[in-house]
Amino acid sequence: LKERQIEAKSLEMATKQCQIDSKQQEISLRSTQLEEKVASIQKIKEQTRRLQSYILSNEPLYTLTSLTRLHWSWKKLADMPVTLKWPQSVLIHDTAFVASRSNNYNVLKYDTKSDQWSILPPCPAMNFGLGQLSGKLIAVGGCAEIETLSGVLGSCGISEIDQGIANVYTYNEENQQWENVIPPMRTPRALPNVV
């Protein structure tokens, strides 16, 4: 009888231990889910902070500073040093790069922390597609130059002598130069879109 009592007591203790283990696993799972939710919220906040909308024509530059379902708030930023026609932009970390799609070699650099603009060295091509690859600024394709009676123009839009190019240029921040280190595209592209 005493042995049976001991066995029953042991079984009761084992059952309680299983319940404790199950409860600990449940707590651990909830803690992990909570951490994932917190990380997800932080990621959304970071994406919202980085999400910027630019009006880049003849108007001043504005950035989206508050994004909610009920309220949009805009803040005026520093004016660009030059006016760009048909602009395109790419955001790399805390820096925005803006370029024109209209016979223009200029690429502007905007520091979101200092609210200051600077002008990069001219890109070797014009009317290129602006993008980023592994955190580096790239200029894809574009147009070559042609000489006309009125001067040098980009060839884009002149169907009989379409001079789209296949080169891909990478901007080197250290030496502040455009480098042709990426193999060219198989097909020349004028005024490409880069995603």
Side-chain angles (χ1 to χ4, degrees):
L1 179 62
K2 191 172 183 179
E3 290 179 356
R4 290 182 179 180
Q5 291 176 342
I6 294 174
E7 290 178 358
K9 193 68 174 179
S10 299
L11 181 60
E12 181 182 355
M13 293 178 62
T15 302
K16 288 184 178 180
Q17 185 62 44
C18 288
Q19 292 174 345
I20 293 173
D21 292 343
S22 178
K23 196 67 176 179
Q24 288 178 340
Q25 290 178 359
E26 182 180 351
I27 293 173
S28 177
L29 178 60
R30 289 183 178 180
S31 177
T32 301
Q33 292 174 341
L34 180 60
E35 290 176 357
E36 290 176 351
K37 287 184 178 180
V38 171
S40 178
I41 292 172
Q42 291 177 343
K43 184 177 180 180
I44 292 173
K45 286 183 177 180
E46 178 65 16
Q47 290 175 343
T48 302
R49 185 184 70 82
R50 290 179 177 273
L51 178 63
Q52 296 177 332
S53 177
Y54 302 100
I55 302 175
L56 302 174
S57 56
N58 293 329
E59 300 296 326
L61 175 68
Y62 290 81
T63 183
L64 182 63
T65 57
S66 177
L67 175 60
T68 68
R69 293 184 178 181
L70 301 178
H71 178 69
W72 294 75
S73 176
W74 294 88
K75 175 185 176 182
K76 185 180 183 301
L77 303 181
D79 292 338
M80 294 184 294
V82 296
T83 298
L84 296 181
K85 186 177 181 181
W86 303 335
Q88 55 182 323
S89 64
V90 61
L91 184 65
I92 303 177
H93 304 304
D94 294 315
T95 304
F97 297 90
V98 187
S100 172
R101 286 182 176 271
S102 177
N103 293 346
N104 194 312
Y105 298 95
N106 286 334
V107 178
L108 306 183
K109 177 181 178 180
Y110 175 74
D111 189 326
T112 59
K113 292 183 178 179
S114 63
D115 189 28
Q116 292 183 347
W117 288 93
S118 58
I119 301 178
L120 301 186
C123 182
M126 64 170 61
N127 302 336
F128 50 83
L130 196 66
Q132 70 94 11
L133 181 64
S134 300
K136 292 188 176 182
L137 184 67
I138 59 173
V140 180
C143 302
E145 290 182 345
I146 59 171
E147 292 186 6
T148 68
L149 294 177
S150 59
V152 177
L153 297 175
S155 64
C156 293
I158 305 177
S159 59
E160 63 270 21
I161 46 174
D162 186 2
Q163 299 292 324
I165 61 177
N167 292 344
V168 179
Y169 297 97
T170 302
Y171 184 69
N172 189 320
E173 285 277 2
E174 294 183 0
N175 57 26
Q176 298 184 352
Q177 291 182 354
W178 291 93
E179 299 176 344
N180 191 5
V181 295
I182 298 178
M185 297 180 289
R186 294 182 179 181
T187 305
R189 301 286 182 183
L191 294 170
N193 291 316
V194 182
V195 178

